Amino acid sequence: MLRLIAFAALGALVGGVIVIAVGPSTVGYTVAGIALPVFIISTVLTLIARSVGNAIGASPEAVQQAKDARRLGVARIDALRQTGTQINDQPLCELDLTVQPLQGSAFASTMRTVVPLTAIPMFQPGTERDVAILLDGGPEVAFIDEGELSPAERARLRVPGRGSVPFIPVEPHRRIVDGVRRGPLLGVGRAGRPARFALFAVVAIAAATVVVAPFHQAVGQSFAAMQDGRLRPDLRRPEALADAQRALEEAIGHDRVASITVAADFIIVEAPLSAGDTKADRWTYRDGAVTNDGAATSQPESTAEQFSWTDVALDRVWTLMHDGAEQVDRPVGDALAYVVRATDDDVHSPAFGRPAGPPEIMFSVGDDYGTTSFVADADGSGLTAR
């Protein structure tokens, strides 16, 4: 289970990094900030569990069952080695044992167990200890206090030399539960390793997908931008701008707007709460997601200031910027376009002085040596410098 958690956290971490690169960075940093410590902690715990793989998992119930069944014996400690791992500041040690049961043949084995520092003298090579044999035939044993064996039983038990008895290895990562060996939900041996790796990969991919899925549009746009050597899409380009328009229209619920601001990284729209309303909200499209920023700073005075998306040839914005930059021999740079109705200059009109004329596309290009402003008709024609 720890390994599944580790790979899920790894997948979430990768997903968070992807979101940082192509989506809302704050969301990506939050996900990565949670996934990274989970991955580290679960990995460390997995490594600790692996280091204690040969440790005997003996529950008090299993030991008592062995006592009741008189599966007892004497174990001689032939060698003690510290593994370098400590649990609760106590060393995890590897013990070479030779065991002589009350009933059955003697056997040798090697086990791992935590040996308190104060108890190390009791585990020196040559020391004999009473043990409970958890399963018939071993090799799992648990050290028990003296007194379970009668003096007569203890006297007749002679532990033979280690080289004269068969060696029975302890199966790693097993516990004795209800008289049977039980392993982890997922195996740890070579058998089934390809299937486990496939499962871990599926878990990691699924976790990454869950993180990235809400920002699939931004990811798709970024993959398309990579073909042009860019990490993020330029929203002034026709394809990305069309995606943004669709997302904004869907979120707003209608196609009426009072203004459109198009930048390389974001698009800001002021739109009425509903078609025909003069109360307007500000909407932002960034990193493939639309957010409602609340009431617009400037509220329209009449519905005459509004226009439809279809009234403006937004697919011409990128071309207009390059045409204007070419005219004045300056780079497009980070120029942004602003679309709003022209000011009504008819002194006899009730809307005189207000943005109630035909929609216009306005932008400026320049560098440190100067800036030139341009304006074009809504259909992308009539580009002129101001």
Side-chain angles (χ1 to χ4, degrees):
M1 186 60 69
L2 281 174
R3 289 171 291 172
L4 287 176
I5 294 174
F7 276 91
L10 178 61
L13 178 60
V14 172
V17 172
I18 293 174
V19 173
I20 290 172
V22 303
S25 58
T26 53
V27 175
Y29 280 119
T30 300
V31 172
I34 296 173
L36 181 59
V38 171
F39 172 70
I40 293 174
I41 292 172
S42 55
T43 300
V44 169
L45 292 177
T46 299
L47 294 175
I48 292 175
R50 180 176 296 178
S51 69
V52 299
N54 289 342
I56 303 297
S59 65
E61 293 79 9
V63 175
Q64 187 59 51
Q65 289 173 359
K67 291 179 180 179
D68 295 340
R70 301 300 292 169
R71 291 196 301 270
L72 305 175
V74 175
R76 183 183 64 241
I77 297 166
D78 298 317
L80 178 148
R81 297 177 293 275
Q82 293 196 27
T83 63
T85 300
Q86 291 194 338
I87 300 177
N88 293 333
D89 295 327
Q90 302 297 333
L92 177 69
C93 297
E94 193 170 67
L95 302 175
D96 290 341
L97 304 177
T98 303
V99 182
Q100 177 60 64
L102 270 177
Q103 301 174 354
S105 302
F107 60 87
S109 189
T110 297
M111 64 174 284
R112 287 186 175 188
T113 188
V114 175
V115 179
L117 292 171
T118 56
I120 286 181
M122 301 170 58
F123 290 87
Q124 293 303 305
T127 303
E128 293 187 354
R129 297 284 305 276
D130 292 355
V131 294
I133 301 169
L134 303 181
L135 293 176
D136 286 332
E140 296 89 347
V141 300
F143 295 104
I144 59 176
D145 296 331
E146 294 183 358
E148 293 293 334
L149 292 169
S150 68
E153 291 173 329
R154 188 70 174 79
R156 69 180 178 85
L157 291 176
R158 293 289 183 270
V159 182
R162 185 177 181 85
S164 64
V165 298
F167 178 84
I168 306 176
V170 174
E171 293 186 31
H173 305 286
R174 295 291 189 273
R175 290 184 61 84
I176 308 301
V177 180
D178 296 329
V180 296
R181 296 183 181 94
R182 296 192 184 278
L185 180 63
L186 296 174
V188 294
R190 292 184 178 180
R193 183 175 292 173
R196 288 197 302 274
F197 284 164
L199 175 61
F200 296 151
V202 168
V203 169
I205 293 171
T209 302
V210 169
V211 174
V212 174
F215 313 102
H216 63 279
Q217 189 173 46
V219 174
Q221 291 175 344
S222 294
F223 278 122
M226 287 178 185
Q227 299 177 8
D228 296 328
R230 294 173 290 109
L231 181 60
R232 290 177 178 266
D234 190 328
L235 298 180
R236 300 170 299 182
R237 292 174 178 259
E239 299 82 3
L241 185 49
D243 290 339
Q245 177 181 336
R246 284 191 292 268
L248 283 162
E249 282 195 63
E250 182 178 350
I252 295 170
H254 57 81
D255 69 343
R256 305 298 294 178
V257 296
S259 68
I260 304 172
T261 302
V262 181
D265 298 325
F266 63 86
I267 295 174
I268 297 175
V269 172
E270 292 184 354
L273 301 184
S274 60
D277 196 348
T278 56
K279 296 178 181 177
D281 274 355
R282 168 176 156 148
W283 299 79
T284 301
Y285 178 90
R286 188 193 299 268
D287 299 325
V290 177
T291 57
N292 186 332
D293 304 323
T297 304
S298 177
Q299 295 289 320
E301 296 183 13
S302 71
T303 57
E305 300 178 26
Q306 302 167 12
F307 55 93
S308 171
W309 288 92
T310 56
D311 294 337
V312 184
L314 291 175
D315 58 342
R316 293 279 298 158
V317 166
W318 184 246
T319 301
L320 288 171
M321 287 184 171
H322 279 272
D323 289 346
E326 185 176 349
Q327 287 183 23
V328 295
D329 193 23
R330 288 195 172 95
V332 172
D334 57 359
L336 56 84
Y338 183 59
V339 183
V340 68
R341 283 191 179 275
T343 302
D344 190 343
D345 56 4
D346 184 356
V347 296
H348 302 293
S349 170
F352 175 70
R354 295 206 301 266
E360 295 179 327
I361 302 172
M362 296 174 285
F363 61 91
S364 298
V365 295
D367 52 23
D368 294 339
Y369 300 99
T371 300
T372 303
S373 298
F374 290 87
V375 61
D377 296 334
D379 62 0
S381 63
L383 178 64
T384 57
R386 288 183 172 178

